[in-house]
């Protein structure tokens, strides 16, 4: 059993070794060239590094002196150290000033307090001007930061001493305005400082907001204060100088603008009537105008955000008025109409990015309306799942009775209208796509994929509209069942028609162009909708026996016809698989109608798998054959699961499945899998039958099968020496060895285990001698398990006599030994795998 690799494997091994030798030779030649250059006399500087032994690794390059070490890191820049020192100094001075103001304030008189703070503040404000003239900008920035803190402390001191009775919010608002003006003038006077102007922008945020809050103004006034502040921030962000100023103003714009919009939206949603929504609407419209005006003058990304904000604010303003004027169930459609009105912005001369933002706002409104309207559609599709627990309990009076009480249907009257409007818009876009592209060209350039998505969306939403309308109207149960079935038929017609067009144009230039992508999207959408609708219709029909047969029969016919009609392979496979599933459900319904128990119904479920085996033989190597046969096999698996409770029926079902697998194995392309499966099923049926009959001597039944099977295997091997030993001898040996092993494990006598062990030993030796994998593995496995059964009582006795700590210790030592020799064990395992792989 010496390993002699095949010629191809040996050739690849030789090529790898030669490549390694070439790489080693190149390395040695390079090393030799370096040594020759190192031995040649050459002038050296007194402090030049000497040649030494090159280090081990890949960091050496020819001609490089080995003594040279890595470059030392450059010392940190003096400016960095200066900034650290200035920051620490400014921080310490700030802490000292705060401590002086809060702790030592009471130990001085009013004059001393004012004089000290005034002098220190003036000194801190004047020092940066002197330092800038001497080009000490970093020191000037540090002292400006200290001056900023001192001005805040001055404000606190004035409020605590000079105006202790003043209202805190009012005083803070006035102080913020004064500080904003002070630091703006200071920053403009000393233009080289970076801190004063951003500080002034920060102080600008508070005067109006705090003033309105202090005055007890209503929420709408607070919203106006926030909006005015946001507009000021926007102007500063557009025309301000310096990155710090623009960044601070942009942050303020985002925060204050968002707060203003939220206030306006909240007031609009809580207003009692249309007149109550006018003030919030005016606020929102003003915000929209301001955002759109800013979008004209900003770069593309910010302009798109501004356009989106303007669009959403306009929808909230106008939609709020409509919301207050319509009943509660129609409020979402009111906002939807306002959002769709934004689509006409393509007719307005807007900046390209701003127009895109407005269109994004329209899309967001439409998406929000769909999020509100789609949950009831899901309830219509998934509601009939509850009927599975009560099959054929009786048809309800209306559609809603089959859907449960999970959805407040009276409040969903407007949901079909929302879906219908969106579906109509998408359908119009799909139908008149060239005109839409011409109109939208100034803003966007949608491609063919967008058109395909629009068509698929229109189809799906239209389907959902009809279902939801039937649920909201609570149509009678038969009408609902018929409607869902007809909708499935319509979707199948669209899918088949699109597939035929795609297949017909695949070879032409037109079929390979954008139109093929459009048809694929619509076809996939129709196919997914058809399958989902079929599942929903089938679940809905479970309330009535007649409806169940009618719906699943119609579905089986519809999907079979569609599979025969279409020429696209993927769609054909999906349709055929679905038809097989519906047929399997019909056989299960027939078993229930006959009053059969689950184990009695199991053989009846094998009708569809038998049909799929015959259909696979008819289709031969067609791509649809394999999915159909696998789906039939799943039905057979369901039948086996139903028969598990009764051993005689299980044996019958396993034998019938073996017959089906043997029928599939007649075909050469299925033989490698189906042949083994048939053998396993027949053997398993035999074991189950023996166990069900309570046979204590299975050898009397299995040996008459084993002996002829082995004779047939010998004849097969003589005729075809390359045949696998598993095919020739595996079924025959397993028919006797495995049932005998099962009985031997429960047999208290010693004779059967002894005979079984001797037989397994002989089979193992024959397998090793003649290099037969089936004999070696089957015999060895049975021998090992039989020996384990005989030694188990003694192992238990020894384990009971050993100390409790000894088994874990032995297990730990074993793991350490295996870990230490892991590579060797791995090589041995690979060698064993190669040996077994060469056996037949």
């Amino acid at each position: 059993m010496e390993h002699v690799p095949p010629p191809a494997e040996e050739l690849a091994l030789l090529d790898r070794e030669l490549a390694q030798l070439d790489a080693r030779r190149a390395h040695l030649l390079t090393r030799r060239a370096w040594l020759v250059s190192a031995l040649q006399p050459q002038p050296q500087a007194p402090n030049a590094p000497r040649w030494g032994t090159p280090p081990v690794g890949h960091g050496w390059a020819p001609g490089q002196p080995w003594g040279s070490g890595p470059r030392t890191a450059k010392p940190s820049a003096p400016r960095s150290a200066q900034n650290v020192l200035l920051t620490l100094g400014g921080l310490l001075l700030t802490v000292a000033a705060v401590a002086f103001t809060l702790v030592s304030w009471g130990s001085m008189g009013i004059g001393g307090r004012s004089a000290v703070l005034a002098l220190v503040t003036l000194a801190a404000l004047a020092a940066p001007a002197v330092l800038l003239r001497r080009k000490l900008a970093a020191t000037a920035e540090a002292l400006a930061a200290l001056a900023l803190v001192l001005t805040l402390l001055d404000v606190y001191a004035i409020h605590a001493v000079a105006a202790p009775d003043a209202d805190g919010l009012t005083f803070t608002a006035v102080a913020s305005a004064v500080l904003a003006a002070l630091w703006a003038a200071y920053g403009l006077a000393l233009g080289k400082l970076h801190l004063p102007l951003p500080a002034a922008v920060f102080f600008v945020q508070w005067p109006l907001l705090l003033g309105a809050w202090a005055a007890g103004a209503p929420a709408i006034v607070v919203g106006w204060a926030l909006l005015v502040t946001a507009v000021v921030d926007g102007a500063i962000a557009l025309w301000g100088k310096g990155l710090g100023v623009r960044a601070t103003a942009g942050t303020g714009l985002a925060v204050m603008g968002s707060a203003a919009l939220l206030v306006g939206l909240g007031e609009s949603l809580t207003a009692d009537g249309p007149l109550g929504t006018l003030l919030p609407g005016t606020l929102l419209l003003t915000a929209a105008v301001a955002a759109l005006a800013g979008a004209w003058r900003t770069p593309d990304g910010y302009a798109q955000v501004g356009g989106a904000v303007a669009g959403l604010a306009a929808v909230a303003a106008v939609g709020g008025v409509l919301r207050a004027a319509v009943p509660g169930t129609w409020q979402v459609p009111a906002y939807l109409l306002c959002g769709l009105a934004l689509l006409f912005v393509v007719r307005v001369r807007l900046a390209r990015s701003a127009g895109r933002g407005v269109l994004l706002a329209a899309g967001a409104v439409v998406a929000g309306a769909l999020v509100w309207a789609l949950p009831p559609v899901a309830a219509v599709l998934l509601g009939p799942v509850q009927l599975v627990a009560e099959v054929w309990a009786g048809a309800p009076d209306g559609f809603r009775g089959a859907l449960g009480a999970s959805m407040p249907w009276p409040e969903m009257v407007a949901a079909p209208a929302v879906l219908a409007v969106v579906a109509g818009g998408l359908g119009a876009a799909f139908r008149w796509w060239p005109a839409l592209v011409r109109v939208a060209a100034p803003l966007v350039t949608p491609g063919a994929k967008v058109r395909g998505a629009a068509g698929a969306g229109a189809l799906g939403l239209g389907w959902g509209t009809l279902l939801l309308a039937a649920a909201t109207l609570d149509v009678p149960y038969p009408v609902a069942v018929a409607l869902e079935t007809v909708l499935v038929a319509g979707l199948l017609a669209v899918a088949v028609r699109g597939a035929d067009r795609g297949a017909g144009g695949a070879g032409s230039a037109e079929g390979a162009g954008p139109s093929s992508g459009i048809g694929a999207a619509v076809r996939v959408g129709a196919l997914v909708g058809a399958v989902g609708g079929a599942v929903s219709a089938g679940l809905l029909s479970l309330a009535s026996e007649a409806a169940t047969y009618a719906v699943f029969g119609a579905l089986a016919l519809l999907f079979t016809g569609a599979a025969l009609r279409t020429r696209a392979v993927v769609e054909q496979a999906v349709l055929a698989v679905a038809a097989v599933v519906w047929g399997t459900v019909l056989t299960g319904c027939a078993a229930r109608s006959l009053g059969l128990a689950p184990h009695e119904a199991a053989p009846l479920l094998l009708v569809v798998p038998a049909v799929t085996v015959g259909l696979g033989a008819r289709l031969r190597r067609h791509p649809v054959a394999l999915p159909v046969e696998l789906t039939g096999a799943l039905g057979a698996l369901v039948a086996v699961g139903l028969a598990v409770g009764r051993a005689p029926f299980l044996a019958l079902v396993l034998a019938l499945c073996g017959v089906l697998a043997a029928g599939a194995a007649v075909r050469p392309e299925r033989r490698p899998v189906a042949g083994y499966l048939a053998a396993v099923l027949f053997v398993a049926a035999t074991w189950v039958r023996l166990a069900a009959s309570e046979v204590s001597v299975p050898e009397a039944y299995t040996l008459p099968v084993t002996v002829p099977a082995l004779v047939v295997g010998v004849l097969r091997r003589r005729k075809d020496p390359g045949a696998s030993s598993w095919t020739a001898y595996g079924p025959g040996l397993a028919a006797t060895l495995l049932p005998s092993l099962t009985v031997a494990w429960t047999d208290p006598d010693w004779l059967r285990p002894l005979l079984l062990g001797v037989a397994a030993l002989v089979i193992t030796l024959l397998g090793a001698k003649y290099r037969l994998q089936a004999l070696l593995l089957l015999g060895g496995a049975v021998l090992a398990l039989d020996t384990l059964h005989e030694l188990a009582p003694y192992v238990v006795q020894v384990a009971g006599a050993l100390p409790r700590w000894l088994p874990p210790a032995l297990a730990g030592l074993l793991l350490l030994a295996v870990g230490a020799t892991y590579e060797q064990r791995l090589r041995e395992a690979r060698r064993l795998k190669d040996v077994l792989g060469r056996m037949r």
Side-chain angles (χ1 to χ4, degrees):
M1 298 175 67
E2 183 179 356
H3 175 61
V4 178
E9 183 178 350
E10 186 176 2
L11 179 61
L13 181 63
L14 292 176
D15 289 340
R16 286 195 297 269
E17 292 182 355
L18 288 173
Q20 292 176 359
L21 289 175
D22 290 339
R24 179 62 178 167
R25 184 173 183 274
H27 173 72
L28 293 176
L29 288 174
T30 305
R31 174 64 176 164
R32 181 182 180 280
W34 175 81
L35 290 174
V36 170
S37 63
L39 291 176
Q40 292 178 357
Q42 53 185 344
Q44 275 191 339
N47 297 328
R50 297 184 179 182
W51 296 101
T53 304
V56 179
H58 301 284
W60 165 78
Q64 174 185 352
W66 296 109
S68 59
R71 296 181 179 178
T72 57
K74 294 182 178 180
S76 59
R79 186 171 296 277
S80 301
Q82 178 190 16
N83 291 336
V84 172
L85 293 176
L86 291 173
T87 302
L88 291 176
L91 181 60
L92 291 176
L93 288 174
T94 303
V95 171
V98 172
F100 168 75
T101 304
L102 298 179
V103 179
S104 301
W105 187 261
S107 61
M108 300 180 64
I110 185 64
R113 302 171 191 171
S114 304
V116 170
L117 270 182
L119 289 175
V120 173
T121 304
L122 290 175
L125 290 172
V130 178
L131 294 173
L132 286 176
R133 285 197 296 268
R134 298 189 178 184
K135 297 183 179 180
L136 298 176
T139 308
E141 289 287 354
L143 287 179
L146 175 62
L148 176 61
V149 176
L150 289 174
T151 53
L152 294 175
L153 294 176
D154 287 334
V155 171
Y156 168 76
I158 292 172
H159 181 266
V161 176
D165 298 330
D167 180 65
L169 289 176
T170 304
F171 185 86
T172 305
V174 175
S176 299
V178 173
L179 288 175
L182 172 65
W183 282 99
Y186 188 73
L188 293 175
L190 301 178
K192 294 183 179 180
L193 291 179
H194 299 88
L195 180 63
L197 290 179
V201 174
F202 173 78
F203 288 127
V204 165
Q205 312 302 314
W206 309 109
L208 294 178
L209 175 61
L210 296 179
W213 192 0
I220 191 66
V221 177
V222 175
W224 279 105
L226 291 169
L227 180 59
V228 172
T229 305
V231 171
V232 173
D233 287 331
I236 296 173
L238 285 175
W239 295 296
K241 296 181 179 180
L243 179 60
V245 174
R246 291 196 297 270
T248 307
T251 304
L253 170 63
V255 174
M256 295 298 178
S258 300
L261 291 174
L262 290 176
V263 171
L265 180 61
E267 290 295 306
S268 177
L269 292 176
T270 56
D272 294 333
L275 293 178
T277 61
L278 292 180
L279 289 178
T282 305
L283 174 64
L284 292 170
L285 283 178
T286 305
V289 172
L292 199 58
W296 278 94
R297 298 170 176 83
T298 53
D300 290 343
Y302 296 105
Q304 192 164 335
V305 174
V309 171
L312 292 175
V315 169
V318 181
V321 177
L322 297 178
R323 179 202 63 81
V326 299
T329 56
W330 295 93
Q331 293 177 357
V332 174
Y335 283 103
L336 176 62
L337 292 178
C338 296
L340 293 176
L342 291 179
L343 296 176
F344 292 98
V345 75
V346 297
R347 297 284 187 178
V348 182
R349 296 178 59 85
L350 288 178
R352 184 182 181 91
S353 298
R356 286 179 179 177
V358 175
L359 292 181
L360 287 177
V365 174
V366 173
L370 289 179
V371 168
W372 175 79
L374 287 179
V377 177
V380 172
L381 294 176
L382 301 179
V385 173
Q386 63 176 348
L387 298 176
V388 176
E390 300 177 357
V391 177
W392 299 348
D397 295 333
F399 193 7
R400 296 181 190 174
L403 302 179
S406 60
M407 188 65 61
W409 295 108
E411 301 176 6
M412 293 296 166
V413 177
V418 171
L419 294 178
V421 170
V422 179
L426 292 176
F430 179 78
R431 176 64 180 84
W432 292 287
W433 185 256
L436 178 64
V437 171
R438 287 194 300 270
V439 173
L443 299 179
V444 293
T445 307
K449 292 183 178 179
V450 179
R451 183 184 184 186
L459 191 65
L461 292 177
W463 168 57
T465 300
L466 295 176
L467 290 180
L468 193 54
T472 53
L473 295 175
D474 197 16
V475 299
Y477 175 76
V479 176
V481 173
L483 176 63
E484 289 207 23
T485 308
V486 170
L487 288 177
V488 171
L491 291 173
L492 286 176
V494 174
V496 170
R497 184 181 179 186
D500 291 343
R501 286 184 175 182
S508 62
E510 182 181 358
S515 60
S516 61
I518 299 169
V522 176
R523 184 171 69 249
V524 170
L527 185 61
V528 172
V531 174
V535 173
S536 178
L539 293 173
L540 183 64
S541 68
L542 295 179
S544 170
E545 182 177 3
T548 301
Y549 281 107
V551 169
F552 279 104
L555 291 178
L557 292 176
L558 287 173
F559 278 83
T560 302
L564 295 175
R565 178 69 176 80
T566 185
R567 288 177 290 175
V569 175
V570 176
E571 285 79 359
Q572 195 174 40
V574 173
L575 294 169
V577 165
V580 173
V581 172
W582 311 143
T584 304
V585 175
L586 277 176
T587 57
C589 293
R592 183 178 178 83
S593 297
L594 295 175
L596 301 178
H599 61 276
E600 296 173 338
L604 184 60
L605 288 180
L606 296 178
V607 173
V608 174
V611 174
T612 59
V613 171
L615 186 60
R618 178 66 180 272
L619 295 174
R620 296 185 180 275
R621 298 183 182 275
H622 194 280
V624 179
L626 181 60
V628 168
E629 292 180 82
L630 291 178
T631 308
L634 291 178
L637 188 61
V638 173
V640 172
L642 292 176
V644 167
R646 296 293 182 90
F649 280 91
L650 179 60
L652 174 62
V653 171
L654 290 174
L656 292 176
C657 291
V659 172
L660 295 178
V666 174
R667 297 154 53 197
E669 67 274 12
R670 299 286 184 263
R671 189 171 301 154
V673 176
Y676 289 109
L677 181 60
V680 170
L681 289 172
F682 282 131
V683 173
T686 304
W687 298 343
V688 174
R689 182 68 262 180
L690 294 176
S693 302
E694 298 181 355
V695 174
S696 59
V697 186
E699 293 82 3
Y701 299 89
T702 58
L703 283 176
V705 177
T706 295
V707 173
L710 293 178
V711 172
V712 172
V714 171
L715 296 177
R716 169 73 185 277
R717 290 273 296 177
R718 286 183 178 178
K719 183 179 179 181
D720 182 13
S724 172
S725 61
W726 288 100
T727 304
Y729 308 120
L733 292 175
T736 294
L737 288 179
L738 298 182
S740 298
L741 179 63
T742 303
V743 177
W745 266 77
T746 59
D747 191 353
D749 200 1
W750 59 272
L751 182 59
R752 176 179 279 109
L754 177 61
L755 295 177
L756 179 62
V758 171
L761 177 61
V762 172
I763 292 172
T764 304
L765 294 177
L766 289 175
K769 179 179 180 181
Y770 294 104
R771 301 170 61 81
L772 299 175
Q773 191 180 97
L775 275 67
L776 180 62
L777 294 181
L778 275 176
V782 172
L783 179 61
L785 293 174
D786 186 65
T787 305
L788 178 61
H789 170 263
E790 294 302 307
L791 295 178
Y794 304 102
V795 173
V796 171
Q797 292 179 2
V798 173
L802 292 176
R804 295 294 180 91
W805 57 267
L806 188 57
L810 293 176
L813 291 175
L814 177 62
L815 291 176
L816 288 176
V818 172
T821 59
Y822 175 75
E823 295 294 337
Q824 182 179 356
R825 301 283 84 78
L826 190 61
R827 287 193 297 270
E828 293 175 354
R830 289 172 178 168
R831 191 178 299 113
L832 178 61
K833 177 184 176 183
D834 294 337
V835 171
L836 291 176
R838 291 194 300 273
M839 290 184 175
R840 299 302 302 171

